[in-house]
């Protein structure tokens, strides 16, 4: 792959340079600087917890390096339920502390940290037993509401009878469901939220190095004193020294600790599968949370679609490639359909994804992952290495703060975490832009709903998209077959958001891979053609990127069984000639 050289027009359009921008030139610079200095804190893993730890440490005034084997949020942090939530079901486990902390964090996201990404959304718990279930559920939701009184970020509970419930959810089976209790949590985009955390850290001086897996630890006697990483783009190895190392590696946390010379815990990966349904699959103006066979089933409105999850089963396969299987999809559809009059079928499923939760497991505990606690743990050892593992996405900021506290305590650092009042990239001027969907729709020639979702993805950084479009007017266009995205977003993904591959753009900077029924294969050549000039790809590079993406989609479809065929390969012609020339 050739070196990245930002086009001169774009370089002039963004002077002075924005420190939050992530791109190949920034990566090379950060890798070189990290190789010749000693960081205060080095964080392994750019999932949400590692990203949060990097931001927490750099916000305390420490020098920070964040290294990641693949892409930002490439693992569990882009495959969650995409909801900031307190965990209503954890009340039945009497885990009140976790719920209280999660609700406090949810409200911080909505009101302070990322109000463009996190937005309140209603959920309705359907009641199927006429006399005892309502007071039981209402008591739990009341406690849920009480935990959120201080934040005041979401509305309180409401109750519905059978007729009112049917008006709100026309799809509901009114013969089975006798009423419902409504509560609120907050929807979000996990991959883009994690990206915002990383970019915020970069803007404060953290060095961000992706596609650089840790191959060994640097040791000073028994003490961990840094890591050796291998640059997968060049094959070269680099020694990155640090006074403290934090492992935020999720499902690989026990493996990483063992490589450092300790063995104090085990991680049980638990597979959680979600499916994305067509907008018209479910007629409802509220999300649904209901009891499932062994846990709960949740259907939530998400960027105009319906996102349904989740499963909770042990995973013993390849940790890097969990896949949704036919049985997972059938489980979700069957449990959702148990409450619906208008049934949902396989034809309504646009896409699927599977993530692995890193649950702590002790010897002798149950094999049921749904019974394992979602609390996090911060584990010291060997000296110089701190591991943070477990927990849930919503409480990432607390997990990060706890990990940094433990890591820097031996260094004599006592500065408290400031991140509870630190808005993320996109949130700083949110109040100025949040009502601008109409104007954006006119400017870009897109629907007002699509413009609203553009704001949710980028917040006040829509200004960067507008600047890109001024520099290259062709970037103002919407994507063919996916008019809710701009061509400018594709370019922005590689010049500002750290995307290095076609898969990065299709699966995490956008969600075309699950939003389009063919997995985005028809559109992929167009996307590759748009980003190739900004990544210095040759025609062979572009063909390899398309082949790798097709293999990914083929593997995911194969896991779903013979009914989920992959369309034939699209032409490698990247983009219409007029657009390609304009780029």
């Amino acid at each position: 792959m050739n070196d990245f050289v930002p086009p001169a027009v774009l370089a002039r359009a963004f002077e002075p340079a924005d420190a939050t921008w992530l791109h190949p030139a920034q990566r090379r610079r950060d890798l070189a600087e990290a190789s010749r200095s000693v960081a205060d804190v080095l964080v392994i893993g750019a999932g949400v917890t590692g990203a949060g730890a990097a931001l927490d440490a750099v916000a305390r005034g420490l020098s920070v390096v964040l290294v990641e084997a693949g892409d930002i949020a490439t693992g569990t942090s882009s495959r969650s339920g995409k909801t900031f939530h307190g965990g209503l079901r954890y009340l039945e486990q009497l885990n009140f502390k976790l719920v209280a902390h999660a609700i406090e964090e949810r409200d911080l996201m909505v009101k302070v940290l990322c109000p463009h990404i996190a937005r309140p959304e209603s959920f309705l718990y359907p009641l199927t037993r006429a006399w005892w279930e309502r007071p039981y559920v209402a008591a739990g939701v009341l406690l849920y509401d009480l935990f959120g009184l201080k934040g005041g970020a979401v509305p309180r509970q409401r109750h519905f009878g059978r007729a009112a419930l049917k008006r709100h959810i026309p799809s509901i089976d009114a013969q089975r469901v006798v009423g419902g209790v409504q509560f609120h949590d907050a929807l979000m985009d996990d991959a883009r939220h994690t990206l915002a955390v990383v970019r915020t850290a970069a803007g404060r001086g953290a060095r961000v190095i992706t596609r650089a897996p840790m191959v060994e630890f640097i040791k000073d006697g028994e003490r961990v004193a840094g890591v050796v990483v291998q640059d997968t783009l060049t094959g070269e190895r680099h020694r990155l020294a640090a006074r403290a190392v934090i492992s935020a590696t999720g499902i690989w946390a026990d493996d990483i600790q063992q490589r450092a010379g300790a063995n104090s815990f085990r991680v049980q990966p638990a597979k959680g599968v979600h499916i994305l349904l067509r907008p018209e699959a479910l007629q409802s103006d509220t999300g649904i949370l209901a009891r499932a066979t062994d846990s709960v089933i949740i259907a939530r409105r998400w960027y105009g679609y319906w996102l349904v999850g989740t499963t909770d089963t042990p995973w013993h396969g390849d940790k890097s490639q969990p896949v949704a299987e036919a049985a997972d999809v059938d489980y979700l559809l069957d449990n959702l359909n148990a409450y619906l009059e208008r049934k949902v079928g396989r034809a309504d499923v646009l896409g699927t994804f599977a993530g692995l939760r890193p649950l702590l497991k002790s010897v002798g505990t149950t094999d049921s992952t749904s019974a394992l606690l979602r609390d996090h743990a911060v584990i010291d050892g060997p000296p110089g290495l701190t591991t943070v593992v477990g927990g849930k996405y919503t409480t990432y900021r607390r997990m990060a703060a706890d990990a940094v506290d433990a890591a820097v305590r031996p260094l004599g650092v006592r500065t408290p975490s400031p991140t509870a009042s630190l808005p993320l990239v996109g949130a700083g001027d949110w109040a100025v832009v949040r009502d601008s969907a109409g104007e954006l729709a006119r400017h870009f020639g897109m629907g007002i709903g699509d413009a609203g979702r553009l704001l949710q993805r980028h917040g006040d950084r829509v200004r960067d998209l507008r600047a890109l479009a001024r520099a290259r007017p062709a970037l103002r266009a919407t994507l063919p077959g996916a008019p809710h995205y701009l061509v400018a977003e594709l370019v922005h993904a590689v010049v500002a958001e750290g995307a290095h591959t076609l898969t990065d753009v299709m699966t995490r900077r956008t969600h075309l891979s699950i939003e389009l029924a063919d997995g985005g294969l028809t559109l992929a050549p167009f996307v590759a053609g748009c980003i190739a000039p900004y990544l210095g790809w040759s025609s062979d590079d572009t063909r390899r990127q398309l082949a790798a993406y097709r293999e990914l989609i083929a593997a995911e479809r194969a896991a779903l069984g013979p009914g989920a065929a992959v369309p034939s390969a699209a032409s490698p012609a990247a983009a219409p000639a007029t657009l390609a020339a304009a780029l």
Side-chain angles (χ1 to χ4, degrees):
M1 187 178 294
N2 298 327
D3 281 349
F4 169 82
V5 180
V9 174
L10 293 185
R12 290 196 300 271
F14 293 99
E15 292 178 353
D18 190 323
T20 72
W21 278 33
L22 306 175
H23 48 74
Q26 157 273 320
R27 176 186 177 276
R28 289 197 304 274
R29 181 183 66 246
D30 283 0
L31 182 54
E33 291 176 353
S35 299
R36 59 175 175 257
S37 60
V38 179
D40 292 324
V41 177
L42 183 144
V43 182
I44 309 170
V48 71
T49 307
L55 175 57
D56 189 286
V58 78
R60 301 189 200 203
L62 302 172
S63 60
V64 175
V65 174
L66 174 64
V67 297
E68 162 59 43
D71 183 29
I72 295 165
T74 194
T76 306
S77 293
S78 61
R79 305 175 189 184
S80 76
K82 308 187 189 302
T83 309
F84 289 126
H85 66 103
L88 185 62
R89 67 190 179 105
Y90 302 140
L91 291 177
E92 284 196 318
Q93 298 177 357
L94 305 182
N95 199 340
F96 301 123
K97 182 179 180 181
L98 176 62
V99 175
H101 284 171
I103 288 177
E104 183 176 345
E105 294 300 313
R106 176 202 69 188
D107 291 354
L108 267 179
M109 304 299 163
V110 172
K111 297 184 69 176
V112 178
L113 303 186
C114 53
H116 59 301
I117 294 175
R119 65 192 189 279
E121 187 70 29
S122 65
F123 292 84
L124 196 138
Y125 186 101
L127 305 171
T128 59
R129 296 169 177 81
W131 62 276
W132 66 266
E133 196 176 18
R134 185 181 295 274
Y136 177 77
V137 173
V141 175
L142 175 61
L143 186 57
Y144 206 65
D145 286 344
L146 289 174
F147 284 140
L149 278 179
K150 181 180 178 181
V154 302
R156 304 303 167 206
Q157 67 174 287
R158 295 177 62 194
H159 288 244
F160 298 99
R162 193 194 306 262
L165 182 62
K166 186 68 173 177
R167 287 194 297 271
H168 283 278
I169 311 178
S171 289
I172 206 74
D173 183 355
Q175 298 302 309
R176 181 185 181 195
V177 177
V178 299
V181 180
Q182 188 180 66
F183 65 98
H184 286 74
D185 273 318
L187 296 187
M188 56 86 165
D189 182 329
D190 51 6
R192 295 203 61 83
H193 170 262
T194 300
L195 173 65
V197 179
V198 173
R199 290 185 62 194
T200 306
R204 288 182 162 257
R207 294 165 183 155
V208 179
I209 305 163
T210 58
R211 290 188 157 71
M214 192 277 292
V215 293
E216 63 180 282
F217 283 100
I218 300 171
K219 288 292 196 74
D220 181 5
E222 295 299 314
R223 182 176 182 80
V224 171
V227 300
V228 177
V229 299
Q230 181 154 1
D231 184 345
T232 59
L233 303 184
T234 66
E236 297 175 349
R237 292 194 173 191
H238 300 264
R239 291 173 62 87
L240 309 180
R243 300 169 68 202
V245 176
I246 296 174
S247 169
T249 49
I251 54 176
W252 289 276
D254 49 355
D255 296 333
I256 296 296
Q257 194 201 43
Q258 288 172 29
R259 290 169 67 179
N263 184 18
S264 60
F265 65 93
R266 284 198 299 147
V267 172
Q268 169 62 66
K271 186 175 76 167
V273 169
H274 288 79
I275 58 177
L276 195 72
L277 303 179
R278 301 178 190 278
E280 63 274 14
L282 189 61
Q283 289 76 50
S284 177
D285 63 15
T286 181
I288 300 171
L289 182 148
R291 290 191 181 277
T293 304
D294 59 1
S295 184
V296 296
I297 187 82
I298 307 175
R300 67 222 86 187
R301 296 177 295 184
W302 190 74
Y303 287 93
Y305 303 94
W306 286 98
L307 182 64
V308 180
T310 180
T311 62
D312 200 337
T313 55
W315 176 256
H316 302 290
D318 183 356
K319 292 180 181 180
S320 65
Q321 194 60 43
V323 291
E325 299 168 286
D328 299 318
V329 175
D330 291 342
Y331 170 91
L332 294 174
L333 292 176
D334 290 347
N335 277 278
L336 179 61
N337 282 331
Y339 296 90
L340 301 181
E341 180 181 26
R342 305 180 188 181
K343 307 299 184 185
V344 176
R346 280 288 194 99
D348 295 304
V349 178
L350 291 172
T352 68
F353 61 87
L356 298 179
R357 306 177 188 92
L359 304 182
L360 283 173
K361 182 178 181 181
S362 300
V363 176
T365 57
T366 176
D367 286 335
S368 171
T369 55
S370 63
L372 297 180
L373 296 180
R374 266 56 176 176
D375 300 83
H376 72 274
V378 175
I379 302 162
D380 291 321
L385 177 66
T386 301
T387 299
V388 56
V389 66
K392 59 200 294 287
Y393 192 109
T394 303
T395 57
Y396 83 92
R397 195 193 62 82
R398 284 178 177 267
M399 296 165 62
D402 289 349
V404 174
D405 283 343
V408 302
R409 192 176 298 118
L411 307 182
V413 177
R414 297 292 185 268
T415 308
S417 172
T419 56
S421 58
L422 181 59
L424 301 181
V425 163
D429 291 326
W430 174 240
V432 176
V433 303
R434 64 184 175 193
D435 297 322
S436 63
E439 191 275 329
L440 280 173
R442 291 188 295 272
H443 181 79
F444 287 115
M446 63 197 318
I448 191 168
D450 293 334
R453 288 187 279 275
L454 182 73
L455 280 167
Q456 290 165 7
R457 289 194 292 273
H458 298 277
D460 63 27
R461 291 310 180 101
V462 293
R463 65 176 183 256
D464 292 347
L465 300 177
R466 299 182 73 141
L468 281 168
R470 283 196 301 271
R472 284 284 191 267
L475 302 184
R476 293 181 60 170
T478 58
L479 298 191
H484 49 302
Y485 289 107
L486 299 173
V487 176
E489 292 183 87
L490 307 180
V491 174
H492 190 253
V494 299
V495 302
E497 295 180 343
H500 287 265
T501 70
L502 176 61
T503 297
D504 294 347
V505 176
M506 297 292 290
T507 63
R508 285 175 290 276
R509 305 311 185 274
T510 71
H511 297 292
L512 293 165
S513 62
I514 59 172
E515 292 175 324
L516 300 178
D518 70 344
L521 290 175
T522 301
L523 188 57
F526 178 91
V527 175
C530 289
I531 64 178
Y534 301 92
L535 289 170
W537 289 349
S538 66
S539 57
D540 286 342
D541 291 330
T542 301
R543 280 193 287 271
R544 282 192 289 269
Q545 291 287 327
L546 286 166
Y549 183 67
R550 180 174 173 77
E551 288 174 8
L552 171 69
I553 299 302
E556 292 179 346
R557 297 300 173 92
L560 293 174
V566 179
S568 59
S571 166
T578 54
L579 180 56
L583 295 176

